[in-house]
């Protein structure tokens, strides 16, 4: 990369190549957006304290960089990012050619002190390093705000008209917008063209300045030499503590809260530690960029999950599956409802995020259907915690029916997962959550029945019919006809159709149909 500059540079080893200077400029230009991005992330967590800082980021960043760059110019002879590349700034001799190669070889320390930046030179360089980038950022932001209006709307755009009785602020704003639209594009083009011209001249060794602004202040950028490293090491040594004066109290010179200690020891060490922070942060950012860009992280997580045998999800509140085989014979031949009623666990309402247990009393209820050895108890549906109505659900899939949709009982088409973890056909679960599925409509109209839930009115009739004498067949037949008539009646107001809920668990899905996610098989 340094072939062109080395070809023209001759024996001047302290002249940096153009590629070093461009790398330093790119690194310096990346600092403001990187710090702003980190500040935006922190402001999202603590907006009360950081929002004002974010709104005034350009001004605060300019003040901080003013302190940092001044410290590095005084201590290392170069800027913050220039010191990272081993560069410095020095004055140009007011002699013919601007060089004294013999004196540089014989008395390097004397030449270093002669070319060292003076106080006025430091402030001129600070204006170029801090003030000019700040002004450029502000002008670019303002141009992006006001100029596109005229570009998009064309020449017929009605520009701001200055009123006759305009205030001073209105006049300044009016002329500022006029400057951005008419003059600033030409100035910006001349700025970049001058930079390009000086870079080309510096590349072919036709000038000592890589920037027109360095030419205006009479400063050039050089590499750090042996004399510079010795001077920097000497400047970095801690100062020798002086004896306390007669008017000083014990511990005054060694206290951390002493202004002199803060100015001469603490703050310089904090600013000098940025030399270590900069390469560390660059390495961390490059590592994160590689980590997210490559597939190494995906392969590593896949390898870690290969040996894991994940159990199926456990959902509380599901109905207890009925046993298909006959019940074992009991020792006692008791026919009382209490002895024959098995213990049923508490069902849990899944209508909302708050789980409401619905307990089953141990004592028999007059409306409780008596169970026998030939009729296993029916599972209880989940109960809504808001309406206290049973929720229509479908039986959960078994290991033998895991490839079937729990709603349509057909092979799953376009697998879609609900927030509860169960997978359905996209059409089925979409219609179910929307409340327009055929099974929902048929059940609410009085049909269906394959869900396994018994109607409350039917259970009451069966309980009453079971308690009557066998001789009253006529009355039982009347009850049966009445029960059939009730079975075809609407269940609206007695059941919830499961709209907005999972078809298996009855849990409410956040976002409705927007919460459904496609599963890649």
């Amino acid at each position: 990369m340094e072939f062109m500059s080395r070809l023209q540079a001759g024996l001047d080893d302290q002249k940096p190549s153009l590629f070093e200077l461009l790398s330093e400029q790119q690194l310096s230009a990346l600092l403001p957006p990187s710090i702003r991005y980190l500040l935006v992330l922190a402001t999202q967590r603590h907006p009360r304290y950081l929002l004002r800082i974010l709104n005034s980021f350009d001004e605060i960043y300019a003040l901080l960089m003013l302190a940092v760059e001044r410290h590095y110019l005084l201590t290392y002879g170069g800027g913050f990012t220039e010191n990272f590349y081993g560069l410095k700034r020095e004055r140009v001799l007011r002699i013919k050619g601007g060089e004294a190669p013999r004196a540089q070889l014989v008395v390097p320390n004397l030449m270093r002190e002669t070319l060292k930046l003076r106080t006025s030179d430091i402030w001129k360089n600070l204006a170029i390093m801090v003030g000019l980038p700040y002004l450029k950022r502000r002008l670019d932001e303002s141009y992006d705000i006001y100029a596109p209006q005229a570009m998009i709307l064309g020449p017929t755009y009605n520009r701001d008209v200055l009123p006759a009785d305009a205030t001073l602020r209105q006049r300044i704003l009016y002329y500022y917008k006029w400057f951005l639209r008419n003059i600033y594009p030409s100035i910006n083009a001349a700025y970049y063209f001058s930079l390009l011209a000086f870079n080309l001249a510096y590349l072919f060794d036709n000038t000592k300045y890589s920037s027109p602004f360095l030419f205006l202040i009479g400063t050039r950028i050089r590499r750090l030499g042996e004399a510079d490293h010795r001077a920097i090491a000497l400047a970095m040594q801690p100062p020798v503590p002086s004896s306390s004066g007669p008017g000083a109290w014990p511990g005054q010179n060694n206290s951390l809260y002493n202004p002199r200690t803060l100015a001469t020891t603490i703050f310089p060490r904090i600013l000098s530690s940025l030399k270590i922070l900069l390469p560390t942060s660059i390495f961390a950012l490059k590592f994160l960029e590689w980590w997210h860009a490559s597939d190494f992280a995906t392969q590593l997580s896949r390898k870690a999950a290969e040996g894991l045998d994940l159990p199926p999800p456990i959902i509380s509140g599901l109905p207890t599956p009925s046993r298909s085989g006959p019940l074992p014979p009991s020792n006692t031949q008791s026919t009382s409802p209490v002895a024959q009623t098995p213990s049923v666990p508490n069902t849990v309402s899944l209508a909302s995020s708050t789980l409401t247990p619905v307990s089953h009393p141990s004592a028999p209820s007059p409306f409780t259907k008596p169970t026998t050895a030939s009729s296993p108890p029916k599972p209880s549906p989940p109960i809504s915690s808001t309406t206290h109505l049973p929720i229509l659900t479908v039986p959960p899939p078994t290991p033998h029916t895991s490839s079937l949709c729990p709603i349509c009982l057909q092979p799953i088409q376009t697998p879609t997962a609900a927030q509860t973890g169960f997978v359905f056909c996209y059409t089925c679960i979409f219609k179910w959550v929307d409340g327009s599925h055929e099974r929902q409509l048929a059940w609410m109209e009085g049909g269906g029945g394959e869900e396994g839930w018994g109607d409350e009115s039917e259970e009451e009739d069966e309980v009453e019919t079971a308690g009557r004498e066998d001789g009253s067949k006529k009355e039982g037949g009347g009850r049966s006809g009445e029960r059939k008539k009730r079975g075809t009646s609407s269940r609206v107001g007695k059941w919830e159709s499961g709209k907005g809920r999972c078809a298996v668990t009855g849990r409410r899905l956040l976002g409705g149909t927007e919460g459904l996610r496609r599963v890649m098989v």
Side-chain angles (χ1 to χ4, degrees):
M1 294 178 63
E2 300 182 6
F3 174 75
M4 291 298 297
S5 59
R6 288 293 185 181
L7 188 64
Q8 302 290 336
L11 299 177
D12 192 359
D13 294 333
Q14 291 190 351
K15 179 182 178 181
S17 65
L18 177 63
F19 304 101
E20 293 180 70
L21 300 180
L22 294 179
S23 300
E24 182 272 327
Q25 294 173 7
Q26 291 179 357
L27 179 60
S28 179
L30 287 176
L31 288 179
S34 302
I35 298 177
R36 184 193 292 269
Y37 176 73
L38 297 177
L39 184 59
V40 168
L41 295 181
T43 305
Q44 294 177 357
R45 292 180 173 269
H46 307 283
R48 179 179 180 182
Y49 307 101
L50 301 177
L51 185 58
R52 294 184 179 180
I53 299 178
L54 181 62
N55 293 336
S56 305
F57 172 79
D58 291 329
E59 290 75 14
I60 296 176
Y61 177 79
L63 293 176
L64 291 178
M65 291 306 297
L66 181 65
V68 172
E69 298 289 5
R70 182 176 180 274
H71 169 75
Y72 274 81
L73 286 175
L74 290 174
T75 307
Y76 304 100
F80 174 55
T81 54
E82 293 170 352
N83 181 259
F84 176 74
Y85 284 93
L87 305 177
K88 68 173 183 177
R89 292 177 178 241
E90 66 179 18
R91 297 186 299 112
V92 178
L93 295 175
R94 300 296 182 179
I95 59 177
K96 184 178 181 180
E99 297 288 348
R102 295 183 180 180
Q104 186 72 32
L105 295 175
V106 177
V107 283
N109 294 330
L110 181 60
M111 287 297 298
R112 180 187 181 279
E113 294 298 328
T114 303
L115 301 177
K116 184 179 179 181
L117 297 178
R118 297 169 296 188
T119 304
S120 59
D121 298 322
I122 289 178
W123 287 107
K124 291 178 182 179
N125 282 271
L126 288 176
I128 299 300
M129 299 167 63
V130 180
L132 184 63
Y134 167 74
L135 182 62
K136 184 74 167 54
R137 286 195 301 270
R138 299 298 295 180
L139 289 175
D140 289 341
E141 291 178 1
S142 301
Y143 180 80
D144 293 338
I145 294 174
Y146 298 112
Q149 299 175 356
M151 293 181 180
I152 295 175
L153 300 178
T156 59
Y157 170 67
N158 186 16
R159 293 177 172 82
D160 297 334
V161 178
L162 185 64
D165 54 347
T167 61
L168 179 61
R169 182 176 181 179
Q170 292 176 342
R171 292 179 180 274
I172 294 176
L173 184 60
Y174 173 79
Y175 290 116
Y176 178 64
K177 293 180 180 179
W178 180 86
F179 167 78
L180 291 175
R181 297 191 185 104
N182 298 277
I183 301 179
Y184 180 68
S186 302
I187 296 178
N188 193 40
Y191 168 79
Y192 285 109
F193 180 78
S194 61
L195 288 178
L196 177 61
F198 269 83
N199 287 336
L200 291 176
Y202 183 84
L203 179 63
F204 292 99
D205 202 22
N206 293 326
T207 180
K208 300 179 178 63
Y209 310 98
S210 59
S211 169
F213 306 103
L214 294 178
F215 170 75
L216 294 177
I217 62 177
T219 303
R220 63 178 179 176
I221 299 178
R222 308 281 285 177
R223 287 196 181 104
L224 291 174
E226 182 180 357
D228 299 305
H229 288 290
R230 286 198 300 265
I232 292 173
L234 183 62
M236 293 300 296
Q237 292 181 358
V240 180
S242 58
S243 59
S244 301
W249 55 83
Q252 178 183 1
N253 291 339
N254 298 329
S255 176
L256 292 177
Y257 301 101
N258 187 6
R260 181 175 298 178
T261 305
L262 290 174
T264 58
T265 306
I266 304 300
F267 289 156
R269 290 187 178 182
I270 293 176
L271 296 176
S272 299
S273 64
L274 296 177
K275 291 200 310 180
I276 304 175
L277 180 63
L278 180 61
T280 305
S281 60
I282 293 175
F283 173 77
L285 291 176
K286 289 297 181 181
F287 176 78
L288 291 176
E289 181 181 358
W290 167 81
W291 180 268
H292 291 287
S294 65
D295 59 343
F296 178 75
T298 305
Q299 296 178 2
L300 185 63
S301 60
R302 188 177 302 169
K303 283 286 185 183
E306 281 182 355
L308 297 178
D309 188 11
L310 299 178
I314 300 176
I315 306 298
S316 60
L318 287 180
T320 306
S322 59
R323 292 177 290 183
S324 58
L327 294 176
S330 58
N331 297 332
T332 60
Q333 300 296 331
S334 174
T335 59
S336 62
V338 178
Q340 295 181 2
T341 302
S343 60
V344 182
N346 293 340
T347 58
V348 182
S349 173
L350 304 176
S352 62
S353 58
T354 305
L355 301 181
T356 307
V358 181
S359 59
H360 296 267
S362 59
S365 173
F367 300 102
T368 303
K369 181 180 178 181
T371 59
T372 60
S374 61
S375 61
K378 290 185 178 181
S380 301
I383 306 299
S384 172
S385 63
T386 56
T387 61
H388 303 288
L389 295 177
I391 304 171
L392 174 62
T393 55
V394 296
T398 62
H400 302 288
T401 62
S402 59
S403 61
L404 303 180
C405 175
I407 299 178
C408 66
L409 302 180
Q410 299 295 328
I412 297 178
Q413 302 293 332
T414 314
T416 303
Q419 297 169 3
T420 54
F422 289 96
V423 180
F424 311 85
C425 298
Y426 176 76
T427 306
C428 295
I429 188 59
F430 185 90
K431 290 183 177 180
W432 188 280
V433 177
D434 190 57
S436 58
H437 197 272
E438 293 80 2
R439 292 185 67 173
Q440 289 174 300
L441 298 178
W443 175 264
M444 297 305 293
E445 291 175 358
E450 62 272 13
E451 285 75 11
W453 312 127
D455 202 354
E456 292 179 354
S457 59
E458 296 179 3
E459 293 180 0
E460 294 177 6
D461 292 340
E462 291 176 2
V463 171
E464 294 177 3
T465 305
R468 295 181 181 274
E469 306 230 351
D470 296 338
S472 56
K473 295 182 180 180
K474 182 177 180 180
E475 186 178 357
R479 285 289 183 178
S480 177
E482 185 180 355
R483 183 168 58 254
K484 290 180 180 179
K485 185 177 180 180
R486 289 183 181 179
T488 59
S489 62
S490 175
R491 293 187 176 93
V492 178
K494 300 178 182 179
W495 284 74
E496 282 196 12
S497 63
K499 179 180 179 181
R501 301 177 182 273
C502 174
V504 175
T505 63
R507 289 182 181 271
R508 189 173 297 278
L509 301 179
L510 298 179
T513 56
E514 298 295 332
L516 303 177
R517 291 295 179 265
R518 172 77 182 276
V519 179
M520 304 301 295
V521 181

